[in-house]
Amino acid sequence: MADTQSRTAPETGSPSSPGITRRRLLGTAGATGAALGVAGAGAGYAVAASNTPEQPAALASLGSEAVMFHGKHQPGITTPMQASGHLVAFDLTAGAGRKEAAALLRRWSATAERLMAGEPSPSDDTDVARDAGPSSLTVTFGFGHSFFARTGLTAQRPAALDPLPDFFSDHLDKARSNGDLWVQIGADDSLVAFHALRALQKDAAGAAKVRWQMNGFNRSPGATARPLTTRNLMGQIDGTNNPKPAEADFDRRIFVPASGSPAWMANGSYVVVRRIRMLLDDWEKQSRTAQEAVIGRKKSTGAPLSGGDETTEPDLEKTDARGDLVVPINAHARISRPDQNGGAAMLRRPFSFHDGFDADGAPDAGLLFVCWQADPLRGFVPVQRKLDRGDALSSFIRHEASGLFAVPGGAREGGYVGQELLEG
């Protein structure tokens, strides 16, 4: 996949103290992981200070990874999960149309290309990330349903971008939903992510204004002894059944084919974004056994309650000594499975969020749910409809904002994202 190809920056460090790439870091994780885990944060500085080939600077590689901006697909879709993210929607300003939108996407693409390479923004850089590497930064652009009327391109609006249906569990804030334009920013360093956010916002001046913004986070790469599926704020492993790029039908499920319609969406994808509040006070009152029954998986390993490990196919017919289903009939893992939804599949790539506390002290926290598919009417919609009708998890979450965006294929060298639409 084009957006999984990465370019590693030169190793850092003095000539006598070379830095370390992520590949070298992973190769030495077994030898150094235990010591780093015990010593804690101070060990990072100690290792860096005495950097030798035998004792490499373990943290130096975190910022060196770079993802290519140009390619068949936009970055940030199959790119590995990043530690920090921003989701932002913009509305075109009064009087701005197709010409202004094209100029904006041209500016945004030029800025994203430079920042993803670890270079300063093309104009008036803030210096926030001056001493940082690319840190796996990705920037992804999409168009909302309203964009096409604003730019006189209604005839080019895809049928797949029709508004999502209403769901019973929705409690949506319209001010934090939808939008003309959508931007996803991800990076392994929070300052690098913010630097990109600020640069793109400044680029938009006069053409578009922020409609809403959401900030998220994940576990930092290298924080665990071995790579693991991410955990959400409920403590559950989240993403076990994600489609894998190596699977034969991955592209068919996630990306619009090159021969797809409309032509400007070739090699693109559709993203559904949902702000899902987790009612953590209620959830944390449940016993671990009760929590596992809601999900249908072990909290510790992500293994199905019917046995095995995280990747074991659950036995949905297995019963216990009393004759009860081991994986409850309303368990989230059962209801959301592709084979329980006519094969519907989507690539989930979320961020967690925490935006403070309510007046009663309840955390305003949860999941910025981001899922990718070739057609949301065959991906997200049938799964959400089924979850809406009987998912045990519904009692502990609330959908508070929603958006659907068309994300075109990647920009060619010298071009910009959306060029085929805006200049076609």
Side-chain angles (χ1 to χ4, degrees), residues 7 65-70 74-76 82 103-123 125 133-141 182-187 192-193 195-201 203 411 415-417:
R7 172 163 55 88
E65 294 289 335
V67 181
M68 297 296 293
F69 175 73
H70 297 287
Q74 286 197 59
Q82 296 131 311
L104 173 58
L105 266 297
R106 192 179 294 111
R107 289 195 300 275
W108 271 354
S109 295
T111 295
E113 180 182 7
R114 286 182 61 89
L115 296 184
M116 285 173 55
E119 301 170 2
S121 57
S123 61
D125 190 86
S135 298
S136 298
L137 174 69
T138 60
V139 183
T140 318
F141 303 107
W182 176 76
V183 181
Q184 174 190 254
I185 297 167
V192 169
H195 180 239
L197 173 68
R198 184 67 180 132
L200 295 170
Q201 181 195 9
D203 279 348
Y416 63 91
V417 173

Side-chain angles (χ1 to χ4, degrees), residues 251-336:
D251 278 11
R252 178 182 63 81
R253 291 182 170 195
I254 307 305
F255 294 110
V256 177
S259 59
S261 179
W264 65 268
M265 273 296 291
N267 301 312
S269 188
Y270 293 91
V271 63
V272 175
V273 181
R274 310 276 280 185
R275 185 185 196 270
I276 303 176
R277 173 84 169 268
M278 293 177 173
L279 308 180
L280 293 177
D281 284 349
D282 294 338
W283 175 254
E284 291 163 3
K285 291 175 184 175
Q286 309 300 309
S287 67
R288 174 168 294 206
T289 299
Q291 292 177 352
E292 291 177 342
V294 167
I295 302 299
R297 290 181 174 274
K298 289 287 186 181
K299 193 170 184 179
S300 57
T301 64
L305 297 183
S306 54
D309 58 26
E310 182 188 350
T311 60
T312 302
E313 287 293 318
D315 181 353
L316 300 181
E317 305 303 320
K318 185 175 182 178
T319 57
D320 59 20
R322 298 189 301 272
D324 297 327
L325 288 168
V326 174
V327 180
I329 196 68
N330 62 348
H332 181 75
R334 175 190 289 270
I335 294 176
S336 62

